[in-house]
Amino acid sequence: MRVRSRRVRGSASGKGEDALRDVESPSGTAGTPVGGRWLVRGKDGRLTAYVRDEDGIARWTEERPGGPRWQGPEHFPAPDLNHIALAQGDDGYVHFLGRRSVRDDEGLPKVDLVHAVQYQTGRPVTAWRSLGNPYKDGDERTARIGPPFAAVGPTGAVHVFVRNANGGMMLRREAKNGKWEGWKDLRGTLGKETMAVAVAESGRVELVVPGVTKAMRWAQKEPGGALEKGTNLNVRIAGGAVSALATAPDRITYYWTDGAAGTLVANRLDTPPVTIGDTPAEGPVAVLRAELDGYDCTVLAHRTRDGRVMLAACGTENEAGGLWWAETGVRTPAPPALALDGQGRVVLAVIGERGGLFVARQNGEPGLALGPAERV
């Protein structure tokens, strides 16, 4: 299916853009989304957005499935964390992973990874618990680990990935009994701090890690199995920003900006990449599967280098059939987010240029038509 340009559009008015520019955040800073999918839907159908504020997490939650009213922002402390990412499992639990850095009595950095959970939509977040560090105390490499990223397997087991001091990958995951296994060295070298980790519909976990002139990849052969390293991809991923989406029962599609050509591409492993846009994305592309006019579609949103948010759709795994990118009329200093609300409508969320959460929702017209972005 080819999504025609008249069917792929956002709000063309300047209303959303003006609002995004004029509102100050409560803290006076713009804030940044947490890593991973920062707009998620709970088991009760309500959406929740998570954003970093000065010393923790700000959370907005829909009052009822489908909105339009939201509660928040609520604040949850996350002291000494210089990175926070989240992952959600099929059970709806939201897992937060952080990189914590403090100074010891001698003024040297002491770094560990920490984990917290939100079990139900709108409920409190648990206390942060340490997952330790792949290196032992006293090893100078402890301070050189990267930020954590995570995925949740079909049984609810959390898989935590972190770049080690040499650019390789380390994994720590929950065992079947709920206890944490030890750190496992997945090997690799010269990887960047960014990565894309995804769970296929079959339950397999996959990982792609950008490097300088290549990208490394790991995958499970079966759900719950070992992560095995595959052949490197000879690609340059601009900014190390790569996104992933399950697009078939046992297949993941990856999206990034080609560092040489400056074009957005879609890539399914072991197949040639498909160019999907000629404007480089600033940061990761937001990707979502949704039913549009009865068709299985992939919706994409990205931020251009001057902050404009672009939106498009195509038949799932049919990027070669063509996309038409449309401006949404909003600007943001951070990557946008996409989700389906409790009524199955596409929702686009962005952070305002001066802070605050803004949401545009599919308005019921044919195709992918969104209403104006409004502050919640």
Side-chain angles (χ1 to χ4, degrees):
M1 182 195 72
R2 183 184 180 92
V3 181
R4 297 183 179 90
S5 61
R6 64 182 178 85
R7 290 181 177 269
V8 185
R9 61 188 188 275
S11 167
S13 72
K15 178 180 177 181
E17 183 172 344
D18 291 342
L20 286 166
R21 288 177 172 174
D22 291 344
V23 179
E24 291 281 357
S25 70
S27 65
T29 58
T32 58
V34 299
R37 291 182 176 273
W38 58 272
L39 179 69
V40 300
R41 188 175 70 188
K43 296 291 282 188
D44 65 356
R46 290 189 292 163
L47 294 176
T48 305
Y50 302 90
V51 175
R52 291 294 311 272
D53 59 15
E54 291 179 338
D55 58 355
I57 301 171
R59 182 182 76 182
W60 289 263
T61 306
E62 284 185 316
E63 291 186 356
R64 58 178 56 86
R69 296 177 61 86
W70 295 66
Q71 300 171 338
E74 299 174 272
H75 174 76
F76 295 92
D80 303 313
L81 301 190
N82 51 32
H83 177 89
I84 300 176
L86 69 77
Q88 185 183 35
D90 292 340
D91 53 13
Y93 296 175
V94 178
H95 296 266
F96 299 91
L97 288 304
R99 182 185 188 275
R100 180 168 60 187
S101 179
V102 296
R103 297 282 177 176
D104 62 19
D105 294 339
E106 298 179 356
L108 299 175
K110 184 177 181 181
V111 176
D112 68 341
L113 303 182
V114 292
H115 173 235
V117 188
Q118 176 190 291
Y119 290 107
Q120 292 179 315
T121 304
R123 300 296 295 169
V125 176
T126 67
W128 294 94
R129 295 179 173 85
S130 179
L131 297 178
N133 190 302
Y135 301 105
K136 296 181 180 180
D137 287 345
D139 190 324
E140 59 88 18
R141 294 176 294 178
T142 60
R144 291 162 49 198
I145 64 168
F149 291 80
V152 183
T155 64
V158 183
H159 296 60
V160 180
F161 299 91
V162 64
R163 190 212 65 189
N164 64 27
N166 298 317
M169 285 295 112
M170 307 293 293
L171 165 66
R172 191 172 191 190
R173 65 180 179 180
E174 289 182 300
K176 293 181 179 179
N177 61 6
K179 295 183 179 180
W180 287 92
E181 299 175 354
W183 287 102
K184 181 176 178 58
D185 189 352
L186 300 181
R187 307 298 180 182
T189 185
L190 300 179
K192 295 185 177 181
E193 291 189 344
T194 56
M195 63 189 78
V197 55
V199 182
E201 294 176 11
S202 64
R204 294 186 311 103
V205 175
E206 288 191 9
L207 174 70
V208 167
V209 180
V212 177
T213 60
K214 63 182 180 182
M216 297 178 288
R217 60 185 177 113
W218 289 262
Q220 293 174 329
K221 289 185 176 179
E222 58 185 22
L227 268 290
E228 299 182 10
K229 193 173 185 308
T231 304
N232 291 336
L233 305 174
N234 292 318
V235 296
R236 286 177 51 206
I237 298 176
V242 55
S243 304
L245 180 69
T247 54
D250 199 37
R251 189 161 52 246
I252 304 294
T253 301
Y254 295 89
Y255 304 86
W256 63 71
T257 297
D258 184 276
T263 56
L264 281 169
V265 300
N267 181 267
R268 283 170 283 281
L269 300 183
D270 302 320
T271 63
V274 178
T275 299
I276 60 174
D278 57 5
T279 303
E282 186 72 8
V285 180
V287 287
L288 175 73
R289 281 181 74 178
E291 185 176 299
L292 301 177
D293 298 339
Y295 292 94
D296 178 7
C297 293
T298 297
V299 182
L300 306 98
H302 75 91
R303 174 180 177 266
T304 65
R305 289 176 175 171
D306 60 359
R308 293 174 295 124
V309 176
M310 308 292 290
L311 188 70
C314 66
T316 295
E317 294 200 347
N318 190 32
E319 298 90 354
L323 293 86
W324 184 82
W325 291 91
E327 291 195 33
T328 60
V330 298
R331 292 178 183 268
T332 179
L338 290 168
L340 293 176
D341 70 10
Q343 298 180 21
R345 296 174 297 183
V346 175
V347 176
L348 170 71
V350 298
I351 305 302
E353 289 187 298
R354 298 184 182 179
L357 175 68
F358 292 78
V359 169
R361 202 179 300 259
Q362 198 174 0
N363 64 12
E365 295 181 13
L368 183 59
L370 304 184
E374 299 179 350
R375 191 181 189 195
V376 302

